[in-house]
Structures are given as structure tokens and as C-alpha cells.
Amino acid sequence: MAGVQDRVVVVTGAGGGLGREYALLLARHGARVVVNDLGGARDGTGSGNAMADAVVAEIRAAGGQAVASYDSVATEEGATGVIGTALREYGAVHGVVNNAGILRDASFAKMTVDQWEAVQRVHLFGGYHVTRAAWPHFREQGHGRVVMATSTSGLYGNFGQANYGAAKLGLVGLVNTLAVEGRKYNILANAVAPLARTRMSEDAAPAELLERLPAEFVAPVVAHLLTDECADTGTVLIAGGDRVQRVAYFASKGVTFTGTPSLRDVADRWSDITDMDGAAVGTNPLA
Ligand code: NAI
């Protein structure tokens, strides 16, 4: 199958920002798109149909195929509804883009349990629930594509985003295992950390920097991960501005000790342990 033609792709949080761009591009390339959006505010409060409806109308006006879903990804029930929309309307689901997201920023010292939990529920639990609802269908048809929206806040850390960073890197951990478990069923899972001017990022960087980060730039990268042409799995990318990069964990050569090292031994060899000269992409030594 060429590109994403006729593929049924669910894009969560597609009522605005990056998700809207993903949905528009996928539909332009012949995908049948489930435009999911709860339709709330940036902090996840509120809900409504208008955002998802507007994107569906835009796609249909351009001759594409799309259907709206207003469920929240944050619950098992909601996620079942999202995938159910794909199955009911189009009889299949071939790909999910777990893009829905909210922010509840606060410094770690001031962050409440509610702020922590609300962000985990949408990002980490959302990615989990929606993928889990699609997984049996992917296995059965011997084809599935998962794209997780991760973030440089998770990959590198960012002030005020302990909740968000933890959730976003949690999704990379989920991708790593989905890649291992999905491969034999032709289910591939990857993650993209976008950099884009949206309502979510509007106060995250200076206006002149955001000007150079159009959301549409990220869409072809996400779409490529949904095609048969892309055989990657477990890959993490950063996409935004004028650049697309792969990000990976590297392991240093390290130090081999004969027997259990003493506290002194570790301190004495610390610079060798942490020296990244000659480091290589890390793999799970227990797998
Ligand atoms: P956005 O706020 O424009 O889009 C997020 C969408 O998710 C909104 O339309 C919102 O209504 C929807 N949503 C929120 N909670 C939901 C729920 N429970 N169920 C269904 N939909 C829900 O923000 P943006 O920037 O487009 O973000 C898209 C994704 O990209 C997010 O996961 C975000 O964390 C991630 N990201 C964005 C970056 C950027 O530079 N804009 C940087 C790194 C990551």
C-alpha cells in the first residue's frame, strides 16, 4: 500500500495545534482519519465538540475522509470509544497517533498531586489506553503503527514540567516495549518530540523563536512513520523548525571490575565510567 492511502488512522487531540496538522496531511494523502478531541482548554478543563468538528469539516471540504470523536483518551472507556469510532465508521484501525495533551506546569516544590496526576492521565494513561484498545486489531490484521508524542521536556528536562516530562518519557518507555512485543506482528511503534508554535507552547519560548516553528513542518515526519515504507520501530525523533533528528541513548564503554568494587574503587574510576568517548547506542543487556 502506497503511503497512507486508505489507512484508518486515529489522531488524538486533533482538534487543534499539531494534531490538526497531522490529520489534515494524512487525509490529503488518502488516509481515513478519526479526528479525536475532547475540546477543552490547555489545562484539560472543559470539553466540547467544536474543535474536532471544525477539523473534520475542513478535511471533508477538501475532499478527504474524516470522522469526529469527542471521547477523552484519559480513561479506558474513552479510549475504547475512540477506537470504536474507527471500527464503526471505517471497519478497521491501522494506526494511532497519541497526540492529545494538556499542561499543568508548576515547579516540583509547588506541584500538587492533582497537577501531577491530571498530566499522567492524559499523556501516559491516554497513550496506554488508546494503544491498548487498538492492539488486538493490529495483531489480528498483522499490521499496526503507533506514534507517541513525546517531548524535549521529557528527553532533557524543563523547569516547571516534572509531571509532563515524566509522562512524556514514560511514553518512550512504553514505545520501547511495544517495539519489542509488536515486531513479530508487524506492529511498529515510534515517538516524535515536536517543536511547534501552538496554544500549548505559546508562552514556552520567545515569540521570534516560535515564529520559526510552524506546526505543519512536523506532520510529514509523523505521516512517514505510518507508512509501510518506514520499517523503524523504537525510534525517537525530534522534529521542528527546519530540522528532523533522531535521538538515542548512548552507553559509555564503562569500566569492568573484578568482583564488587569498594566505594573508593567507584570514586577512583568515576571519570572512566562516565567518559563518553567511544560510546555506542545502548541496548538492553538483559534482553
Ligand atoms: P494543543 O493544546 O494545541 O493540542 C492538544 C490537543 O489535545 C488539544 O486540542 C486538546 O483539546 C486535546 N486534548 C487534551 N486532553 C484531551 C483528552 N483527554 N482527550 C482527547 N483530547 C484531548 O497542543 P500541541 O502543541 O498541538 O500538542 C500536541 C502534542 O504534542 C501534545 O502531546 C504535546 O505534549 C506535544 N508536544 C508539543 C510541543 C510543542 O512544541 N507544541 C512540544 C513537545 C510536545
Side-chain angles (χ1 to χ4, degrees), residues 12-19 22 36-42 44 51 71-74 98-102 122-123 149-152 164 168 193-201:
T12 71
L18 285 152
Y22 303 160
N36 162 260
D37 207 291
L38 181 63
R42 190 172 83 152
M51 290 176 74
D71 293 300
S72 171
V73 300
N98 289 294
N99 166 80
I102 63 166
V122 176
H123 291 274
T150 183
S151 169
T152 53
Y164 179 76
K168 287 311 215 185
L195 297 168
R197 186 187 57 185
T198 64
R199 76 172 185 183
M200 184 178 278
S201 63

mmCIF file of all heavy atoms in Angstrom, residues 12-19 22 36-42 44 51 71-74 98-102 122-123 149-152 164 168 193-201, ligand 1:
data_model
loop_
_atom_site.group_PDB
_atom_site.id
_atom_site.type_symbol
_atom_site.label_atom_id
_atom_site.label_comp_id
_atom_site.label_asym_id
_atom_site.label_seq_id
_atom_site.Cartn_x
_atom_site.Cartn_y
_atom_site.Cartn_z
ATOM 1 N N THR A 12 -5.305 11.486 18.099
ATOM 2 C CA THR A 12 -5.931 12.044 19.304
ATOM 3 C C THR A 12 -5.485 13.501 19.471
ATOM 4 O O THR A 12 -4.393 13.873 19.054
ATOM 5 C CB THR A 12 -5.588 11.220 20.561
ATOM 6 O OG1 THR A 12 -4.201 11.414 20.902
ATOM 7 C CG2 THR A 12 -5.882 9.740 20.356
ATOM 8 N N GLY A 13 -6.353 14.292 20.062
ATOM 9 C CA GLY A 13 -6.032 15.709 20.231
ATOM 10 C C GLY A 13 -5.873 16.408 18.892
ATOM 11 O O GLY A 13 -5.036 17.297 18.740
ATOM 12 N N ALA A 14 -6.688 16.010 17.911
ATOM 13 C CA ALA A 14 -6.524 16.527 16.542
ATOM 14 C C ALA A 14 -7.412 17.733 16.252
ATOM 15 O O ALA A 14 -7.504 18.180 15.119
ATOM 16 C CB ALA A 14 -6.808 15.409 15.526
ATOM 17 N N GLY A 15 -8.031 18.294 17.289
ATOM 18 C CA GLY A 15 -8.905 19.445 17.079
ATOM 19 C C GLY A 15 -8.166 20.762 16.955
ATOM 20 O O GLY A 15 -8.771 21.815 16.718
ATOM 21 N N GLY A 16 -6.855 20.752 17.137
ATOM 22 C CA GLY A 16 -6.070 21.985 17.031
ATOM 23 C C GLY A 16 -4.592 21.660 16.991
ATOM 24 O O GLY A 16 -4.205 20.488 17.020
ATOM 25 N N GLY A 17 -3.771 22.685 16.905
ATOM 26 C CA GLY A 17 -2.322 22.535 17.022
ATOM 27 C C GLY A 17 -1.731 21.493 16.092
ATOM 28 O O GLY A 17 -2.089 21.395 14.914
ATOM 29 N N LEU A 18 -0.821 20.705 16.630
ATOM 30 C CA LEU A 18 -0.101 19.696 15.838
ATOM 31 C C LEU A 18 -1.034 18.604 15.323
ATOM 32 O O LEU A 18 -0.925 18.173 14.172
ATOM 33 C CB LEU A 18 1.004 19.069 16.696
ATOM 34 C CG LEU A 18 2.228 19.970 16.914
ATOM 35 C CD1 LEU A 18 2.903 19.639 18.240
ATOM 36 C CD2 LEU A 18 3.209 19.826 15.758
ATOM 37 N N GLY A 19 -1.939 18.145 16.168
ATOM 38 C CA GLY A 19 -2.830 17.049 15.794
ATOM 39 C C GLY A 19 -3.659 17.401 14.568
ATOM 40 O O GLY A 19 -3.881 16.568 13.675
ATOM 41 N N TYR A 22 -1.486 16.997 11.580
ATOM 42 C CA TYR A 22 -1.304 15.571 11.261
ATOM 43 C C TYR A 22 -2.536 15.062 10.511
ATOM 44 O O TYR A 22 -2.430 14.392 9.477
ATOM 45 C CB TYR A 22 -1.105 14.729 12.529
ATOM 46 C CG TYR A 22 0.044 15.123 13.420
ATOM 47 C CD1 TYR A 22 0.077 14.718 14.756
ATOM 48 C CD2 TYR A 22 1.116 15.889 12.952
ATOM 49 C CE1 TYR A 22 1.136 15.056 15.597
ATOM 50 C CE2 TYR A 22 2.164 16.241 13.786
ATOM 51 C CZ TYR A 22 2.168 15.826 15.112
ATOM 52 O OH TYR A 22 3.211 16.174 15.939
ATOM 53 N N ASN A 36 -9.924 12.865 16.824
ATOM 54 C CA ASN A 36 -10.383 12.821 18.218
ATOM 55 C C ASN A 36 -9.965 14.100 18.936
ATOM 56 O O ASN A 36 -8.807 14.521 18.827
ATOM 57 C CB ASN A 36 -9.767 11.609 18.936
ATOM 58 C CG ASN A 36 -9.847 11.771 20.448
ATOM 59 O OD1 ASN A 36 -8.870 12.149 21.088
ATOM 60 N ND2 ASN A 36 -11.005 11.543 21.014
ATOM 61 N N ASP A 37 -10.883 14.697 19.662
ATOM 62 C CA ASP A 37 -10.512 15.809 20.554
ATOM 63 C C ASP A 37 -11.589 16.016 21.605
ATOM 64 O O ASP A 37 -12.777 16.088 21.284
ATOM 65 C CB ASP A 37 -10.287 17.108 19.776
ATOM 66 C CG ASP A 37 -9.312 18.022 20.511
ATOM 67 O OD1 ASP A 37 -9.686 18.541 21.589
ATOM 68 O OD2 ASP A 37 -8.173 18.190 20.040
ATOM 69 N N LEU A 38 -11.138 16.129 22.830
ATOM 70 C CA LEU A 38 -12.060 16.391 23.943
ATOM 71 C C LEU A 38 -12.596 17.816 23.869
ATOM 72 O O LEU A 38 -13.670 18.101 24.406
ATOM 73 C CB LEU A 38 -11.320 16.158 25.270
ATOM 74 C CG LEU A 38 -12.076 16.357 26.572
ATOM 75 C CD1 LEU A 38 -13.225 15.356 26.692
ATOM 76 C CD2 LEU A 38 -11.135 16.216 27.764
ATOM 77 N N GLY A 39 -11.817 18.691 23.254
ATOM 78 C CA GLY A 39 -12.301 20.060 23.038
ATOM 79 C C GLY A 39 -12.240 20.959 24.250
ATOM 80 O O GLY A 39 -13.010 21.925 24.347
ATOM 81 N N GLY A 40 -11.328 20.684 25.166
ATOM 82 C CA GLY A 40 -11.209 21.507 26.372
ATOM 83 C C GLY A 40 -10.147 22.581 26.259
ATOM 84 O O GLY A 40 -9.645 22.884 25.171
ATOM 85 N N ALA A 41 -9.804 23.170 27.409
ATOM 86 C CA ALA A 41 -8.781 24.213 27.474
ATOM 87 C C ALA A 41 -7.396 23.584 27.564
ATOM 88 O O ALA A 41 -7.263 22.366 27.691
ATOM 89 C CB ALA A 41 -9.033 25.108 28.680
ATOM 90 N N ARG A 42 -6.370 24.427 27.533
ATOM 91 C CA ARG A 42 -4.995 23.934 27.536
ATOM 92 C C ARG A 42 -4.676 23.112 28.787
ATOM 93 O O ARG A 42 -3.846 22.214 28.747
ATOM 94 C CB ARG A 42 -4.046 25.147 27.438
ATOM 95 C CG ARG A 42 -2.621 24.763 27.191
ATOM 96 C CD ARG A 42 -1.784 25.986 26.913
ATOM 97 N NE ARG A 42 -1.355 26.635 28.140
ATOM 98 C CZ ARG A 42 -0.229 27.347 28.250
ATOM 99 N NH1 ARG A 42 0.548 27.505 27.203
ATOM 100 N NH2 ARG A 42 0.083 27.913 29.387
ATOM 101 N N GLY A 44 -6.766 21.175 30.239
ATOM 102 C CA GLY A 44 -7.583 19.964 30.249
ATOM 103 C C GLY A 44 -8.969 20.160 30.826
ATOM 104 O O GLY A 44 -9.767 19.223 30.854
ATOM 105 N N MET A 51 -14.110 21.759 18.301
ATOM 106 C CA MET A 51 -12.746 21.653 17.757
ATOM 107 C C MET A 51 -12.624 20.483 16.776
ATOM 108 O O MET A 51 -12.142 20.637 15.658
ATOM 109 C CB MET A 51 -11.730 21.498 18.901
ATOM 110 C CG MET A 51 -11.551 22.765 19.726
ATOM 111 S SD MET A 51 -10.439 22.532 21.135
ATOM 112 C CE MET A 51 -8.848 22.460 20.301
ATOM 113 N N ASP A 71 -14.338 11.690 22.612
ATOM 114 C CA ASP A 71 -14.011 10.999 23.862
ATOM 115 C C ASP A 71 -12.698 11.488 24.451
ATOM 116 O O ASP A 71 -11.787 11.888 23.735
ATOM 117 C CB ASP A 71 -13.862 9.495 23.599
ATOM 118 C CG ASP A 71 -15.167 8.843 23.210
ATOM 119 O OD1 ASP A 71 -16.111 8.886 24.013
ATOM 120 O OD2 ASP A 71 -15.245 8.303 22.084
ATOM 121 N N SER A 72 -12.598 11.355 25.776
ATOM 122 C CA SER A 72 -11.316 11.632 26.430
ATOM 123 C C SER A 72 -10.439 10.391 26.361
ATOM 124 O O SER A 72 -10.902 9.281 26.639
ATOM 125 C CB SER A 72 -11.534 12.000 27.903
ATOM 126 O OG SER A 72 -10.276 12.064 28.546
ATOM 127 N N VAL A 73 -9.170 10.597 26.012
ATOM 128 C CA VAL A 73 -8.230 9.472 25.966
ATOM 129 C C VAL A 73 -7.812 9.033 27.370
ATOM 130 O O VAL A 73 -7.178 7.999 27.531
ATOM 131 C CB VAL A 73 -6.961 9.830 25.158
ATOM 132 C CG1 VAL A 73 -7.312 10.190 23.725
ATOM 133 C CG2 VAL A 73 -6.165 10.968 25.825
ATOM 134 N N ALA A 74 -8.165 9.843 28.363
ATOM 135 C CA ALA A 74 -7.620 9.630 29.710
ATOM 136 C C ALA A 74 -8.222 8.435 30.442
ATOM 137 O O ALA A 74 -7.731 8.050 31.502
ATOM 138 C CB ALA A 74 -7.802 10.899 30.534
ATOM 139 N N ASN A 98 -0.807 9.115 19.176
ATOM 140 C CA ASN A 98 -1.174 9.533 20.535
ATOM 141 C C ASN A 98 -0.615 10.927 20.776
ATOM 142 O O ASN A 98 0.519 11.094 21.225
ATOM 143 C CB ASN A 98 -0.637 8.527 21.548
ATOM 144 C CG ASN A 98 -1.393 7.221 21.488
ATOM 145 O OD1 ASN A 98 -2.571 7.171 21.815
ATOM 146 N ND2 ASN A 98 -0.729 6.168 21.042
ATOM 147 N N ASN A 99 -1.446 11.909 20.459
ATOM 148 C CA ASN A 99 -1.010 13.299 20.422
ATOM 149 C C ASN A 99 -1.723 14.174 21.452
ATOM 150 O O ASN A 99 -1.239 15.255 21.777
ATOM 151 C CB ASN A 99 -1.251 13.827 18.993
ATOM 152 C CG ASN A 99 -1.164 15.310 18.885
ATOM 153 O OD1 ASN A 99 -0.072 15.863 18.821
ATOM 154 N ND2 ASN A 99 -2.300 15.995 18.888
ATOM 155 N N ALA A 100 -2.850 13.717 21.988
ATOM 156 C CA ALA A 100 -3.617 14.549 22.930
ATOM 157 C C ALA A 100 -2.749 14.942 24.119
ATOM 158 O O ALA A 100 -1.952 14.136 24.599
ATOM 159 C CB ALA A 100 -4.849 13.790 23.412
ATOM 160 N N GLY A 101 -2.915 16.167 24.561
ATOM 161 C CA GLY A 101 -2.083 16.581 25.694
ATOM 162 C C GLY A 101 -2.597 17.816 26.393
ATOM 163 O O GLY A 101 -3.369 18.596 25.827
ATOM 164 N N ILE A 102 -2.185 17.957 27.648
ATOM 165 C CA ILE A 102 -2.520 19.134 28.457
ATOM 166 C C ILE A 102 -1.274 19.559 29.231
ATOM 167 O O ILE A 102 -0.292 18.810 29.291
ATOM 168 C CB ILE A 102 -3.660 18.839 29.467
ATOM 169 C CG1 ILE A 102 -3.222 17.762 30.487
ATOM 170 C CG2 ILE A 102 -4.925 18.418 28.752
ATOM 171 C CD1 ILE A 102 -4.137 17.650 31.698
ATOM 172 N N VAL A 122 -3.734 12.116 31.061
ATOM 173 C CA VAL A 122 -3.942 12.419 29.640
ATOM 174 C C VAL A 122 -2.789 11.874 28.788
ATOM 175 O O VAL A 122 -3.022 11.184 27.786
ATOM 176 C CB VAL A 122 -4.119 13.941 29.408
ATOM 177 C CG1 VAL A 122 -4.245 14.233 27.912
ATOM 178 C CG2 VAL A 122 -5.344 14.448 30.155
ATOM 179 N N HIS A 123 -1.561 12.152 29.187
ATOM 180 C CA HIS A 123 -0.433 11.783 28.314
ATOM 181 C C HIS A 123 -0.105 10.292 28.438
ATOM 182 O O HIS A 123 -0.201 9.544 27.470
ATOM 183 C CB HIS A 123 0.806 12.618 28.669
ATOM 184 C CG HIS A 123 0.677 14.059 28.311
ATOM 185 N ND1 HIS A 123 0.982 14.555 27.074
ATOM 186 C CD2 HIS A 123 0.250 15.120 29.043
ATOM 187 C CE1 HIS A 123 0.764 15.860 27.043
ATOM 188 N NE2 HIS A 123 0.324 16.225 28.237
ATOM 189 N N ALA A 149 3.507 11.072 20.942
ATOM 190 C CA ALA A 149 4.066 12.418 21.047
ATOM 191 C C ALA A 149 4.864 12.484 22.343
ATOM 192 O O ALA A 149 4.301 12.429 23.436
ATOM 193 C CB ALA A 149 2.950 13.453 21.063
ATOM 194 N N THR A 150 6.172 12.572 22.202
ATOM 195 C CA THR A 150 6.999 12.776 23.394
ATOM 196 C C THR A 150 7.427 14.246 23.402
ATOM 197 O O THR A 150 6.817 15.075 22.712
ATOM 198 C CB THR A 150 8.194 11.793 23.428
ATOM 199 O OG1 THR A 150 8.917 11.987 24.651
ATOM 200 C CG2 THR A 150 9.121 11.953 22.238
ATOM 201 N N SER A 151 8.430 14.588 24.191
ATOM 202 C CA SER A 151 8.807 15.995 24.308
ATOM 203 C C SER A 151 10.254 16.137 24.742
ATOM 204 O O SER A 151 10.765 15.303 25.513
ATOM 205 C CB SER A 151 7.907 16.681 25.336
ATOM 206 O OG SER A 151 8.405 17.962 25.644
ATOM 207 N N THR A 152 10.874 17.224 24.290
ATOM 208 C CA THR A 152 12.224 17.512 24.788
ATOM 209 C C THR A 152 12.187 17.766 26.300
ATOM 210 O O THR A 152 13.196 17.599 26.966
ATOM 211 C CB THR A 152 12.828 18.731 24.061
ATOM 212 O OG1 THR A 152 11.912 19.815 24.148
ATOM 213 C CG2 THR A 152 13.120 18.418 22.599
ATOM 214 N N TYR A 164 4.824 16.628 33.390
ATOM 215 C CA TYR A 164 4.774 16.490 31.930
ATOM 216 C C TYR A 164 5.992 15.710 31.416
ATOM 217 O O TYR A 164 5.866 14.794 30.597
ATOM 218 C CB TYR A 164 4.717 17.897 31.345
ATOM 219 C CG TYR A 164 4.687 18.007 29.855
ATOM 220 C CD1 TYR A 164 3.532 17.741 29.135
ATOM 221 C CD2 TYR A 164 5.819 18.431 29.156
ATOM 222 C CE1 TYR A 164 3.506 17.879 27.755
ATOM 223 C CE2 TYR A 164 5.799 18.582 27.784
ATOM 224 C CZ TYR A 164 4.636 18.298 27.085
ATOM 225 O OH TYR A 164 4.618 18.439 25.724
ATOM 226 N N LYS A 168 5.933 12.203 29.466
ATOM 227 C CA LYS A 168 6.418 12.148 28.092
ATOM 228 C C LYS A 168 7.539 11.121 27.925
ATOM 229 O O LYS A 168 7.635 10.471 26.884
ATOM 230 C CB LYS A 168 6.883 13.536 27.637
ATOM 231 C CG LYS A 168 5.750 14.518 27.385
ATOM 232 C CD LYS A 168 4.682 13.900 26.517
ATOM 233 C CE LYS A 168 4.008 14.845 25.566
ATOM 234 N NZ LYS A 168 2.903 14.186 24.839
ATOM 235 N N ALA A 193 9.178 13.917 19.246
ATOM 236 C CA ALA A 193 9.130 15.123 20.084
ATOM 237 C C ALA A 193 9.036 16.310 19.133
ATOM 238 O O ALA A 193 10.022 16.657 18.480
ATOM 239 C CB ALA A 193 10.387 15.228 20.936
ATOM 240 N N PRO A 194 7.852 16.917 19.036
ATOM 241 C CA PRO A 194 7.711 18.041 18.102
ATOM 242 C C PRO A 194 8.211 19.340 18.740
ATOM 243 O O PRO A 194 8.295 19.453 19.964
ATOM 244 C CB PRO A 194 6.199 18.103 17.871
ATOM 245 C CG PRO A 194 5.600 17.558 19.130
ATOM 246 C CD PRO A 194 6.593 16.608 19.733
ATOM 247 N N LEU A 195 8.517 20.284 17.903
ATOM 248 C CA LEU A 195 8.785 21.656 18.360
ATOM 249 C C LEU A 195 7.920 22.534 17.469
ATOM 250 O O LEU A 195 8.166 22.613 16.261
ATOM 251 C CB LEU A 195 10.259 22.012 18.177
ATOM 252 C CG LEU A 195 11.268 21.182 18.993
ATOM 253 C CD1 LEU A 195 12.681 21.426 18.497
ATOM 254 C CD2 LEU A 195 11.164 21.519 20.480
ATOM 255 N N ALA A 196 6.890 23.148 18.042
ATOM 256 C CA ALA A 196 5.945 23.867 17.190
ATOM 257 C C ALA A 196 5.239 24.956 17.966
ATOM 258 O O ALA A 196 5.004 24.840 19.169
ATOM 259 C CB ALA A 196 4.912 22.895 16.626
ATOM 260 N N ARG A 197 4.861 25.986 17.225
ATOM 261 C CA ARG A 197 4.060 27.048 17.825
ATOM 262 C C ARG A 197 2.600 26.613 17.845
ATOM 263 O O ARG A 197 1.969 26.425 16.804
ATOM 264 C CB ARG A 197 4.186 28.340 17.007
ATOM 265 C CG ARG A 197 3.480 29.508 17.674
ATOM 266 C CD ARG A 197 3.470 30.698 16.783
ATOM 267 N NE ARG A 197 2.847 30.370 15.525
ATOM 268 C CZ ARG A 197 2.769 31.182 14.478
ATOM 269 N NH1 ARG A 197 3.301 32.357 14.524
ATOM 270 N NH2 ARG A 197 2.170 30.803 13.361
ATOM 271 N N THR A 198 2.074 26.410 19.045
ATOM 272 C CA THR A 198 0.672 26.032 19.224
ATOM 273 C C THR A 198 0.180 26.735 20.490
ATOM 274 O O THR A 198 0.956 27.398 21.169
ATOM 275 C CB THR A 198 0.515 24.516 19.439
ATOM 276 O OG1 THR A 198 1.181 24.176 20.665
ATOM 277 C CG2 THR A 198 1.108 23.707 18.287
ATOM 278 N N ARG A 199 -1.054 26.492 20.854
ATOM 279 C CA ARG A 199 -1.546 27.116 22.093
ATOM 280 C C ARG A 199 -0.794 26.556 23.298
ATOM 281 O O ARG A 199 -0.639 27.217 24.308
ATOM 282 C CB ARG A 199 -3.047 26.914 22.240
ATOM 283 C CG ARG A 199 -3.454 25.527 22.682
ATOM 284 C CD ARG A 199 -4.936 25.438 23.001
ATOM 285 N NE ARG A 199 -5.242 24.122 23.539
ATOM 286 C CZ ARG A 199 -6.456 23.711 23.859
ATOM 287 N NH1 ARG A 199 -7.479 24.507 23.704
ATOM 288 N NH2 ARG A 199 -6.645 22.504 24.345
ATOM 289 N N MET A 200 -0.308 25.295 23.161
ATOM 290 C CA MET A 200 0.410 24.694 24.283
ATOM 291 C C MET A 200 1.762 25.358 24.519
ATOM 292 O O MET A 200 2.203 25.517 25.636
ATOM 293 C CB MET A 200 0.608 23.190 24.041
ATOM 294 C CG MET A 200 1.266 22.501 25.221
ATOM 295 S SD MET A 200 1.468 20.729 24.977
ATOM 296 C CE MET A 200 -0.148 20.141 25.424
ATOM 297 N N SER A 201 2.423 25.743 23.423
ATOM 298 C CA SER A 201 3.790 26.263 23.546
ATOM 299 C C SER A 201 3.841 27.784 23.507
ATOM 300 O O SER A 201 4.920 28.366 23.507
ATOM 301 C CB SER A 201 4.660 25.688 22.419
ATOM 302 O OG SER A 201 4.163 26.128 21.173
HETATM 303 P P1 NAI B 1 -2.597 21.677 21.728
HETATM 304 O O1 NAI B 1 -3.026 22.101 23.083
HETATM 305 O O2 NAI B 1 -2.846 22.584 20.588
HETATM 306 O O3 NAI B 1 -3.201 20.254 21.349
HETATM 307 C C1 NAI B 1 -3.518 19.265 22.262
HETATM 308 C C2 NAI B 1 -4.927 18.799 21.956
HETATM 309 O O4 NAI B 1 -5.255 17.692 22.806
HETATM 310 C C3 NAI B 1 -5.972 19.882 22.207
HETATM 311 O O5 NAI B 1 -6.732 20.103 21.022
HETATM 312 C C4 NAI B 1 -6.819 19.306 23.333
HETATM 313 O O6 NAI B 1 -8.183 19.667 23.281
HETATM 314 C C5 NAI B 1 -6.606 17.810 23.174
HETATM 315 N N1 NAI B 1 -6.848 17.063 24.413
HETATM 316 C C6 NAI B 1 -6.470 17.397 25.665
HETATM 317 N N2 NAI B 1 -6.871 16.473 26.551
HETATM 318 C C7 NAI B 1 -7.514 15.512 25.834
HETATM 319 C C8 NAI B 1 -8.141 14.293 26.191
HETATM 320 N N3 NAI B 1 -8.185 13.887 27.463
HETATM 321 N N4 NAI B 1 -8.692 13.541 25.214
HETATM 322 C C9 NAI B 1 -8.656 13.952 23.914
HETATM 323 N N5 NAI B 1 -8.088 15.129 23.538
HETATM 324 C C10 NAI B 1 -7.526 15.890 24.480
HETATM 325 O O7 NAI B 1 -1.030 21.365 21.842
HETATM 326 P P2 NAI B 1 0.031 20.849 20.773
HETATM 327 O O8 NAI B 1 1.226 21.673 20.937
HETATM 328 O O9 NAI B 1 -0.568 20.701 19.447
HETATM 329 O O10 NAI B 1 0.394 19.420 21.389
HETATM 330 C C11 NAI B 1 0.213 18.179 20.721
HETATM 331 C C12 NAI B 1 1.109 17.151 21.380
HETATM 332 O O11 NAI B 1 2.480 17.478 21.127
HETATM 333 C C13 NAI B 1 0.965 17.071 22.890
HETATM 334 O O12 NAI B 1 1.050 15.740 23.310
HETATM 335 C C14 NAI B 1 2.139 17.850 23.391
HETATM 336 O O13 NAI B 1 2.518 17.455 24.675
HETATM 337 C C15 NAI B 1 3.181 17.505 22.356
HETATM 338 N N6 NAI B 1 4.274 18.436 22.278
HETATM 339 C C16 NAI B 1 4.105 19.700 21.762
HETATM 340 C C17 NAI B 1 5.184 20.554 21.679
HETATM 341 C C18 NAI B 1 5.098 21.869 21.027
HETATM 342 O O14 NAI B 1 6.166 22.499 20.791
HETATM 343 N N7 NAI B 1 3.922 22.371 20.706
HETATM 344 C C19 NAI B 1 6.498 20.195 22.234
HETATM 345 C C20 NAI B 1 6.574 18.855 22.720
HETATM 346 C C21 NAI B 1 5.479 18.031 22.751
#
